[in-house]
Amino acid sequence: MTTRRRSSRIALIVLSALALPALSGCFAAGSTAPDAASAERISVAMMQPPRSGLSPLSDDAFKLSRWATAETLVVLDDDAVARPSLSTSWEQVDATTWRFQIRSGVSFHDGTALTPDAVVRSLQRAASASPLPRILKGIGLQARAEGDAVIVTTGDVDPLLPQRLSSPQLSILAASAYTGDTVSPIGTGTGPFQLVAVNGITGATLDRFDGYWGGRAKLAGIDASFVPDGTARTAALRTGTADIVETVPAGQIETVDPALVHEVPMPRTNTLYLNTARGPFADPSVRAAARGALDRARIIAAVYEGRADEAKGLLGPALPWTVGARDSADLDAVLATRAPAAVVDRVPITLGTFTDRAELPEVAVLVQQQLEAVGFIVTQDVREYQFIEADALAGAFDAFILSRATVLDSGDPVAYLASDFGCGGGFSISQLCSADVDAAIAAASRIAAGPDRQKAILIAEAQVLATDAAVPMLHERVVQGESARVRDAARDPRERTLVTIDTWIDPAAPAGDARR
């Protein structure tokens, strides 16, 4: 397969508009987009502080992507189809080999040029990182330069390699980013905004990069602050302290002018992970009892005020091909292998979650009540995510409530299923290792994009659900806050894009909530 584009202008459209054109902010009456770059800056309140010093090899990479400072070889459109970015075209040479043509005329923020060698350096650093970025888990990716192209090979057939290379964790940075054991995105990206300063877990500053290959951004820069507390983020929106606010908590929405909040359907599932390796939930019948205890409708009504969808599986309605597709005899046969629920009599368990998503502690209260109603004795442990992630991944909890993006990396849920539920998964909170699950995930991973792959994905999902290692509760609809001054911010279900080259500020519009 070869993907080609005729001009850099088309590629620019992909980067700044194609990703989510229907979900971009619209013009206010009487406002006019600036013809050229302006002196206006935008302030953004981010939900979570960096956990790994903004290393692109961690989940912090998604901040770099949302700030349009670090770029990848390809980007994804609405349908998760790979489109050109730092690579202008690609072709599959054989079952495990791909050739990516590298865009010419691109400068890194430090003034050095994008070259095939620079691409290889970034990809190889990711491939040799410890821990390995989850998008590369089990892939065996290797890269080498060949003329003006990069040859990428994998250890096994990977029909979605272009989509995989769209992950922000595979951002291409300048040689100066790699010093010793650290990777620094400060002044080393290729995007329309240059990261110039990071103040620990407080904030970051980005300025427009006038040498951007796709043209000049309309904004002069971005001032990002990290505000884990949902009430504080909402207050920043109301007072005009922030122009864009990530994730307005459901309980705070009624305190804000409805014109400033925008509901975004998310491929994000609120799931109860159960520890299959040790403790009471090592018994599948006890896991089945926990599954049967949950009242999803009550959680949605009480905590999300109806702004969520009841989960029928791990994958939700943000992936339209899942809707109605679970009415299948093949899937029913897999789910019929679930263990029967045990009778629970005063079984003590620990339940963990985190405060960064304001709804989760409230969900934990209801889940505790529902589990205790069937015989569990629940002790909660609730912290900021940066202080609880390591314990969760180490299996320190019997149960853990997580809000999880299911197509975070490649736009395809196979990577999520492998990461969270495969024997070698890098994000295995449930500590699951099942031969049937591994086989189903492996089968799905070998199929090219299309209906057959989708069917195989649902079979793999059913295999996970049959273990009761994870109990999906609801699919979120995240609410993004934007002041009346903001124009053309991206509202991205995959949480990769936020401020783009085309985002601008209308200085004539009021900041904050006009009802104050």
Side-chain angles (χ1 to χ4, degrees), residues 162-509:
Q163 284 88 343
R164 191 180 299 278
L165 293 180
S166 75
S167 169
Q169 292 184 333
L170 301 181
S171 295
I172 308 302
L173 301 181
S176 58
Y178 306 99
T179 55
D181 294 331
T182 63
V183 182
S184 172
I186 299 177
T188 59
T190 58
F193 296 99
Q194 176 180 350
L195 183 62
V196 296
V198 179
N199 185 10
I201 60 172
T202 303
T205 303
L206 301 96
D207 292 340
R208 179 171 51 225
F209 178 55
D210 289 334
Y212 180 54
W213 61 269
R216 296 182 75 199
K218 293 177 181 176
L219 287 168
I222 304 169
D223 299 308
S225 57
F226 307 122
V227 188
D229 183 78
T231 301
R233 287 198 307 277
T234 307
L237 178 64
R238 287 199 306 268
T239 61
T241 305
D243 295 306
I244 300 178
V245 168
E246 285 191 319
T247 315
V248 179
Q252 295 286 317
I253 292 173
E254 297 302 320
T255 69
V256 181
D257 183 345
L260 305 185
V261 294
H262 308 276
E263 193 168 303
V264 183
M266 302 294 289
R268 178 176 286 280
T269 304
N270 190 315
T271 301
L272 178 67
Y273 287 73
L274 302 177
N275 191 333
T276 64
R278 64 181 68 92
F281 292 126
D283 183 340
S285 292
V286 179
R287 299 198 295 270
R291 168 174 49 85
L294 296 184
D295 185 342
R296 296 169 175 82
R298 183 185 171 203
I299 293 171
I300 292 171
V303 179
Y304 292 84
E305 301 183 6
R307 294 176 182 266
D309 298 295
E310 188 169 337
K312 294 180 173 61
L314 296 164
L315 309 175
L319 301 178
W321 54 267
T322 68
V323 178
R326 293 187 178 89
D327 296 329
S328 161
D330 290 341
L331 301 182
D332 290 343
V334 174
L335 293 175
T337 65
R338 279 173 163 162
V343 175
V344 178
D345 185 13
R346 299 184 59 79
V347 173
I349 61 170
T350 56
L351 172 65
T353 194
F354 51 98
T355 59
D356 304 54
R357 290 188 175 271
E359 293 86 1
L360 293 188
E362 298 180 56
V363 172
V365 170
L366 290 180
V367 169
Q368 176 176 348
Q369 293 173 357
Q370 293 169 9
L371 291 175
E372 289 183 339
V374 299
F376 292 98
I377 301 174
V378 180
T379 300
Q380 284 196 43
D381 187 344
V382 181
R383 313 174 217 161
E384 282 190 29
Y385 188 81
Q386 63 177 324
F387 300 122
I388 203 169
E389 180 189 50
D391 285 343
L393 293 177
F397 302 101
D398 296 311
F400 194 84
I401 297 172
L402 181 70
S403 174
R404 180 73 161 126
T406 57
V407 293
L408 187 66
D409 294 309
S410 65
D412 178 87
V414 168
Y416 147 72
L417 292 172
S419 173
D420 286 32
F421 306 110
C423 288
F427 202 78
S428 184
I429 291 178
S430 63
Q431 311 291 303
L432 179 67
C433 186
S434 160
D436 289 339
V437 170
D438 268 15
I441 292 173
S445 71
R446 290 191 290 266
I447 302 173
D452 289 342
R453 185 180 180 91
Q454 292 167 1
K455 181 178 179 180
I457 288 170
L458 289 179
I459 290 175
E461 177 199 57
Q463 289 287 358
V464 173
L465 295 176
T467 70
D468 282 324
V471 184
M473 295 184 287
L474 57 96
H475 306 295
E476 296 183 7
R477 304 175 202 157
V478 173
V479 175
Q480 180 170 304
E482 298 172 18
S483 81
R485 306 191 321 143
V486 176
R487 305 288 181 267
D488 290 329
R491 301 169 191 159
D492 182 0
R494 289 191 289 264
E495 298 181 292
R496 294 181 175 201
T497 312
L498 184 62
V499 180
T500 77
I501 190 174
D502 289 326
T503 304
W504 57 287
I505 289 289
D506 183 356

